Amino acid sequence: MSRRALLSTAGMVGFGSVAAMTGTGAFSSARADRGLEVSVADDANAYIKIEAPDTSKANVGEKVDLLEITNHWKAELEIDRVEFVGEQSTLEDISAENTPLSEIDDRTAICAKCAEVGNAEGELEFIVSTNNATASIVRPFSVTCHPVIDPVIDFRGNPNDQSAQVFLCADSDREIEVIVRGESDASDNSEDDEKTVNVTPSDGVNLNKEAGVNIITEIEINNEIYTESTGECKGASGNKSSNN
């Protein structure tokens, strides 16, 4: 019997005869601690689905998801004793959020906080249990922790004039998410707009053009609200900065 077909064999309790655990790539290891078979199966047949997150990067001081777990079993699943295997300096405060998973298709993430800049690769171990059965799983992860971006917001011109422009620049070639709020035009009947755009601010970005908002009233980046200039984007072309 191949390793992928069956990683560990024991009695038939808890989940049933087999608890199928699956995800992107093979497990580093899995073992039955208390009478539970653990095998690798196709996602459609998995009782527990384990996947790598869509986004595996964050700024220093922010949380980053290491694994995503979905309950496909009709029983409450508890995830605990989450820890790194070996030394890990780039990440800290590892935990599983929103547990237990009470119902089928409930989801949670194992996450950690970026403690310093760098790439973090390694393995983590966690315990999955239900009723009287327990399984221990070791799984690899790979994430990147970036330095905190210090954005410069440059409001240029009269903010009530459609000729006004707002630029964003930063010493970073990494794409960041920006929420732009404003008005589609200068008429009294215009409705407020909110657009979310992902931009690379290294060379100075015209947010009016990127978001398609004519009059911008505020910018939100990393939960910080900006309603006036914090500096000048010298490399960006447009009206003179409102700071000058």
Side-chain angles (χ1 to χ4, degrees):
M1 183 177 294
S2 70
R3 181 173 181 273
R4 284 188 60 84
L6 186 62
L7 297 179
S8 179
T9 304
M12 300 181 184
V13 297
F15 291 85
S17 60
V18 174
M21 300 187 181
T22 186
T24 304
F27 292 105
S28 297
S29 65
R31 64 175 180 270
D33 288 344
R34 296 172 57 192
L36 174 66
E37 289 189 356
V38 180
S39 69
V40 174
D42 293 336
D43 286 1
N45 299 319
Y47 291 159
I48 302 173
K49 183 178 181 181
I50 304 175
E51 301 173 291
D54 293 335
T55 301
S56 57
K57 56 188 178 182
N59 294 331
V60 170
E62 297 177 344
K63 286 185 177 182
V64 59
D65 290 345
L66 308 180
L67 294 176
E68 294 180 348
I69 301 172
T70 304
N71 179 14
H72 284 180
W73 181 247
K74 297 178 181 179
E76 182 175 279
L77 292 178
E78 185 72 49
I79 301 170
D80 54 20
R81 290 173 55 187
V82 183
E83 58 187 20
F84 294 114
V85 177
E87 296 293 327
Q88 179 56 247
S89 61
T90 306
L91 301 171
E92 62 185 11
D93 298 338
I94 186 172
S95 63
E97 298 188 329
N98 303 321
T99 61
L101 303 181
S102 300
E103 299 184 14
I104 192 168
D105 290 334
D106 278 358
R107 296 170 62 89
T108 188
I110 294 177
C111 62
K113 185 172 73 173
C114 283
E116 60 183 49
V117 176
N119 296 321
E121 295 183 348
E123 293 181 328
L124 59 86
E125 183 174 10
F126 58 97
I127 304 297
V128 177
S129 58
T130 183
N131 300 329
N132 295 318
T134 302
S136 174
I137 299 173
V138 178
R139 189 70 192 272
F141 68 88
S142 177
V143 298
T144 302
C145 295
H146 293 286
V148 177
I149 295 176
D150 186 17
V152 174
I153 310 298
D154 189 353
F155 283 81
R156 300 186 181 184
N158 186 334
N160 296 318
D161 190 334
Q162 289 197 45
S163 65
Q165 296 175 305
V166 181
F167 292 88
L168 166 67
C169 54
D171 185 18
S172 174
D173 58 0
R174 183 164 59 90
E175 188 177 74
I176 62 173
E177 182 180 275
V178 182
I179 300 174
V180 179
R181 299 185 180 96
E183 301 175 359
S184 57
D185 56 51
S187 68
D188 293 336
N189 297 324
S190 64
E191 296 182 356
D192 290 343
D193 288 333
E194 178 177 299
K195 302 288 182 63
T196 300
V197 294
N198 293 297
V199 299
T200 303
S202 57
D203 297 327
V205 176
N206 186 320
L207 293 177
N208 299 79
K209 293 181 179 179
E210 291 291 332
V213 177
N214 290 334
I215 299 177
I216 295 178
T217 55
E218 66 179 36
I219 305 296
E220 181 176 343
I221 301 174
N222 293 331
N223 298 318
E224 291 286 337
I225 303 293
Y226 302 89
T227 58
E228 58 184 23
S229 294
T230 63
E232 182 178 358
C233 294
K234 296 182 179 180
S237 59
N239 298 329
K240 190 176 182 180
S241 172
S242 60
N243 274 353
N244 296 318

